């Protein structure tokens, strides 16, 4: 059985951090007094940490601690301290806290790795379907281009985050750039589509009638407008 | 090893049961031991078309539930001695069929028969899925009009994704297109889709074209499969269809408008 009467556990608490260029006791006192005058109740007995990153030499921590006591604030410790300043702070009975933003060497090594991953993810996969897509069937190429070696029947849907290539007739719906990329396009050998959508904008067959109906075509977006062009 | 052929369409009233009866009878006439199973539970029709409705004692569902054995339920045709019919139940609904039960019966039939013809109900629900699930080949019955073509396309999608062959990664079901109620005169007038139109949309091999014919209705009403009426155009077209299904090369007939002779013009066709 574990003993719950005594435990030492890590927890996170919000602490106010004081940033001050001049860390002499007199300067800290003047500036704190000004700040407290704006909202005396808000900072009453508030725990405060002093950021000493900009300090070139050790401030008089004991004098500063006196100022805090006087103004009814609780000085908990310092952060961003060099090893020399840490010693001085500890000597004055203050805790030396680590800044969460401080860059440790381990993190610097990690950064190039994440960049490499991002490059890999940007390369589109291709999903190839070697059959006709029948009415009622739905094909989705997630994060990929889609190639259909067949016909997409009326009532069928082909969807891709990338481009869609259809080597047969497109009679159903084709939805390219489903993830929102408006640079994606639909290519088909014979255009008789019910609907074509690129990055959320869509057109029904009525808007596709014309020069390219029943012929090969490449359909893309330009300034939010549907642009049909020759396949070659 | 028996070949399981499903006759299906998606849409109702296009001629599935008429075609099942004709094709099953035609194959049996060639000497192959053939059974036609009516999967349309609750809307029993095959026995009427085959003219054996008064001989139904036990049915498909009885056999699945173990209330009767196959020998008791199957009806032997009186005209062709290699032909049998397994009728549907008229009192149950389509949920009475279980995949395991259907598989058990098909396996049992496969021991004895050369061809098993499954007459599918209309729709895409469990009954139709059960009829097509175990098929080796499919005859997709289509009328030359847009809604029938659309429904056939849907069924073709099911054949290639929901069948046993698709689920187990076996070679796909062999798909055949059977165009029924074809009227060349109306095609010429633009009132009906042509063979070419339907073939292009569905993109499967054409098995046969059955002309719209008075003989079909007469045959149904008299309980004689139309293929036995060998003087009729529909009967001959079904004979051609069966020959192609068995792998023979037969030219297509009844695709063009017949030129009426002078006497026919005067006295009417």
């Amino acid at each position: 059985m574990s003993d719950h009467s005594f435990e030492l556990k890590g927890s996170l608490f919000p602490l106010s951090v004081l940033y001050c260029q001049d860390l002499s006791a007199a300067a800290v006192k003047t500036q704190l007094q000004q700040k407290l005058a704006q909202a005396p109740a808000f900072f009453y007995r508030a725990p405060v940490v002093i950021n000493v990153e900009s300090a070139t030499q050790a401030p008089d921590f004991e004098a500063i601690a006196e100022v805090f006591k006087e103004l009814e604030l609780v000085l908990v410790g310092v952060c961003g301290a060099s090893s020399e300043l840490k010693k001085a702070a500890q000597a004055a009975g203050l805790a030396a806290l680590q800044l969460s933003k401080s860059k440790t060497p381990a993190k610097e090594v990690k950064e190039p790795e994440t960049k490499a991953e991002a490059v890999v993810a940007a390369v589109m996969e291709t999903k190839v379907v070697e059959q006709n897509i029948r009415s009622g069937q739905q094909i989705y190429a997630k994060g990929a281009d889609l190639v259909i070696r067949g016909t997409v029947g009326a009532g069928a849907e082909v969807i891709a985050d990338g481009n869609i290539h259809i080597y047969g007739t497109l009679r159903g719906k084709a939805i390219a750039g489903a993830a929102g990329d408006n640079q994606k396009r639909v290519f088909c050998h014979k255009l008789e589509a019910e609907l074509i959508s690129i990055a959320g904008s869509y057109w029904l067959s009525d808007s596709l009638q014309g020069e390219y109906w029943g012929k090969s075509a490449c359909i893309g977006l330009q300034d939010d407008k549907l642009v049909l062009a020759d396949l070659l | 090893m028996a070949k399981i052929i499903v006759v299906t369409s998606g849409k109702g009233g296009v001629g599935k049961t008429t075609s099942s009866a004709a094709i099953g009878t035609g194959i049996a006439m060639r000497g192959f031991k053939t059974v036609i199973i009516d999967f349309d539970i609750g809307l029993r029709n095959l026995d009427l078309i085959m003219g054996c409705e008064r001989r139904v004692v036990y049915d498909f569902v009885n056999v699945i539930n173990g209330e009767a054995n196959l020998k008791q339920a199957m009806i032997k045709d009186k005209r062709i001695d290699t032909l049998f019919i397994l009728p549907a139940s008229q009192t149950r609904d389509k949920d009475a069929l279980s995949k395991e039960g259907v598989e058990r019966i098909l396996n049992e039939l496969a021991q004895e028969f050369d061809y098993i013809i499954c007459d599918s109900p209309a729709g895409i629900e469990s009954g139709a899925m059960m009829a097509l699930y175990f098929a080796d080949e499919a005859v997709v019955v289509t009328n030359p009009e847009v809604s029938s073509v659309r429904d056939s396309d849907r069924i073709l999608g099911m054949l290639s994704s929901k069948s046993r062959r698709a689920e187990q990664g076996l070679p796909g079901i062999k798909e055949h297109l059977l165009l029924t109620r074809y009227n060349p005169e109306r095609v010429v007038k633009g009132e009906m889709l042509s063979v070419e139109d339907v073939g292009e949309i569905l993109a499967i091999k054409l098995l046969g074209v059955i002309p719209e014919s008075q003989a079909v209705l007469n045959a149904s009403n008299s309980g004689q499969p139309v293929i036995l009426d060998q003087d009729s155009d529909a009967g001959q077209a079904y004979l051609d269809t069966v020959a192609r299904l068995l792998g023979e090369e037969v030219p297509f007939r009844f695709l063009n408008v017949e030129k009426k002779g002078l006497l026919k013009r005067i006295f009417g066709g």
Side-chain angles (χ1 to χ4, degrees):
Chain A
M1 253 177 64
S2 61
D3 184 3
H4 291 284
S5 64
F6 180 82
E7 277 181 300
L8 196 56
K9 282 182 166 179
S11 280
L12 291 168
F13 298 99
L15 288 173
S16 303
V17 179
L18 175 70
Y19 293 87
C20 192
Q21 279 293 321
D22 187 352
L23 282 172
S24 67
V28 169
K29 188 175 177 179
T30 335
Q31 298 197 42
L32 269 178
Q33 273 174 330
Q34 285 174 11
K35 193 76 189 169
L36 292 179
Q38 293 170 11
F42 188 75
F43 288 108
Y44 180 73
R45 293 223 158 257
V48 178
V49 175
I50 308 174
N51 186 305
V52 293
E53 261 179 315
S54 58
T56 46
Q57 57 180 52
D60 186 347
F61 286 123
E62 280 173 23
I64 295 175
E66 280 302 312
V67 168
F68 272 72
K69 209 177 245 177
E70 200 181 314
L71 298 173
E72 305 242 41
L73 291 167
V74 182
L75 181 58
V76 180
V78 296
C79 63
S82 63
S83 55
E84 195 187 324
L85 263 65
K86 261 184 200 170
K87 275 180 194 161
Q90 278 159 0
L94 298 174
L97 303 170
Q98 204 156 15
L99 270 181
S100 56
K101 278 181 189 168
S102 68
K103 282 179 183 169
T104 58
K107 271 192 178 172
E108 276 168 25
V109 174
K110 266 190 175 175
E111 263 178 31
E113 271 181 15
T114 50
K115 271 180 194 164
E117 276 168 18
V119 171
V120 171
V123 176
M124 275 268 175
E125 299 273 319
T126 303
K127 180 173 184 167
V128 182
V129 180
E130 309 260 359
Q131 62 179 37
N132 295 321
I133 313 301
R134 302 288 183 180
S135 180
Q137 288 185 313
Q138 199 180 47
I139 306 282
Y140 176 38
K142 189 174 162 54
D145 279 358
L146 180 59
V147 174
I148 310 283
R149 282 189 66 198
T151 285
V152 177
E157 279 180 29
V158 289
I159 306 164
D161 289 340
N163 300 299
I164 299 177
H165 305 258
I166 298 156
Y167 290 97
T169 306
L170 169 58
R171 295 196 184 89
K173 298 179 181 175
I175 295 152
D181 186 348
N182 59 14
Q183 297 303 305
K184 300 303 177 199
R185 290 189 280 177
V186 174
F187 305 84
C188 63
H189 191 65
K190 193 172 176 189
L191 175 66
E192 289 177 13
E194 284 173 347
L195 176 144
I196 287 185
S197 167
I198 291 164
S201 310
Y202 67 89
W203 298 268
L204 293 171
S205 64
D206 288 351
S207 336
L208 301 166
Q209 305 290 332
E211 174 183 10
Y212 289 99
W213 190 254
K215 300 200 177 74
S216 65
C218 158
I219 303 108
L221 255 190
Q222 219 169 58
D223 304 327
D224 288 336
K225 276 191 181 152
L226 180 76
V227 179
L228 290 110
D230 288 323
L231 204 53
L232 286 170
Chain B
M1 188 62 199
K3 202 171 258 182
I4 303 174
I5 301 174
V6 61
V7 178
T8 186
S9 71
K11 193 170 163 61
V14 295
K16 283 182 296 296
T17 302
T18 300
S19 297
S20 297
I23 291 172
T25 304
I27 293 174
M29 280 158 62
R30 299 287 194 108
F32 295 105
K33 204 163 180 203
T34 307
V35 57
I36 314 173
I37 307 176
D38 191 351
F39 273 79
D40 203 348
I41 312 296
L43 294 169
R44 202 180 81 195
N45 280 170
L46 179 71
D47 50 319
L48 289 169
I49 307 279
M50 294 299 294
C52 61
E53 71 276 12
R54 275 172 291 186
R55 295 165 63 204
V56 176
V57 182
Y58 293 107
D59 59 52
F60 194 18
V61 174
N62 292 139
V63 181
I64 284 183
N65 293 344
E67 296 150 8
N69 63 38
L70 269 173
K71 287 261 178 307
Q72 291 172 298
M74 278 195 300
I75 303 167
K76 190 172 188 295
D77 190 83
K78 281 186 171 165
R79 297 153 294 216
I80 298 143
D81 56 9
T82 51
L83 182 60
F84 291 80
I85 289 106
L86 185 53
S89 168
Q90 181 70 348
T91 51
R92 310 293 282 272
D93 62 39
K94 291 180 177 69
D95 298 329
L97 297 180
S98 67
K99 206 177 259 183
E100 297 71 31
V102 172
E103 183 173 27
R104 183 167 51 80
I105 289 170
L106 289 177
N107 285 340
E108 205 174 315
L109 289 169
Q111 314 260 323
E112 198 184 330
F113 287 89
D114 301 311
Y115 283 90
I116 301 170
I117 312 290
C118 302
D119 179 21
S120 172
I124 53 171
E125 287 79 29
S126 67
M129 290 301 107
M130 217 59 88
L132 68 79
Y133 187 75
F134 297 99
D136 300 308
E137 297 192 23
V139 174
V140 178
V141 183
T142 307
N143 287 169
E145 49 101 11
V146 286
S147 61
S148 174
V149 172
R150 172 76 65 94
D151 292 358
S152 294
D153 198 42
R154 184 98 167 89
I155 276 292
L156 284 164
M158 301 259 175
L159 287 168
S160 62
S161 62
K162 297 269 160 63
S163 61
R164 176 175 64 171
R165 282 174 170 268
E167 283 179 4
Q168 297 182 357
L170 299 166
I173 293 177
K174 201 170 167 191
E175 300 156 339
H176 307 277
L177 172 63
L178 181 62
L179 210 51
T180 54
R181 298 207 169 149
Y182 195 71
N183 185 334
E185 281 175 35
R186 298 190 66 188
V187 172
V188 170
K189 285 186 201 158
E191 295 171 352
M192 219 178 229
L193 296 175
S194 69
V195 178
E196 291 76 23
D197 291 339
V198 179
E200 201 207 319
I201 295 170
L202 294 180
I204 56 170
K205 205 164 185 305
L206 185 65
L207 177 72
V209 180
I210 313 299
E212 193 166 46
S213 168
Q214 190 59 42
V216 175
L217 190 62
N218 292 344
S220 297
N221 287 338
S222 60
Q224 291 271 347
V226 70
I227 199 167
L228 294 173
D229 182 1
Q230 294 183 7
D231 295 330
S232 70
D233 47 1
Q236 290 173 26
Y238 273 118
L239 281 174
D240 291 356
T241 299
V242 167
R244 289 188 204 101
L245 195 59
L246 297 174
E248 293 167 27
E249 291 272 341
V250 183
F252 286 93
R253 295 191 276 174
F254 315 111
L255 298 187
N256 299 311
V257 181
E258 233 178 289
K259 288 198 179 78
K260 283 183 183 173
L262 184 65
L263 288 174
K264 263 197 175 172
R265 269 172 208 255
I266 295 167
F267 299 108

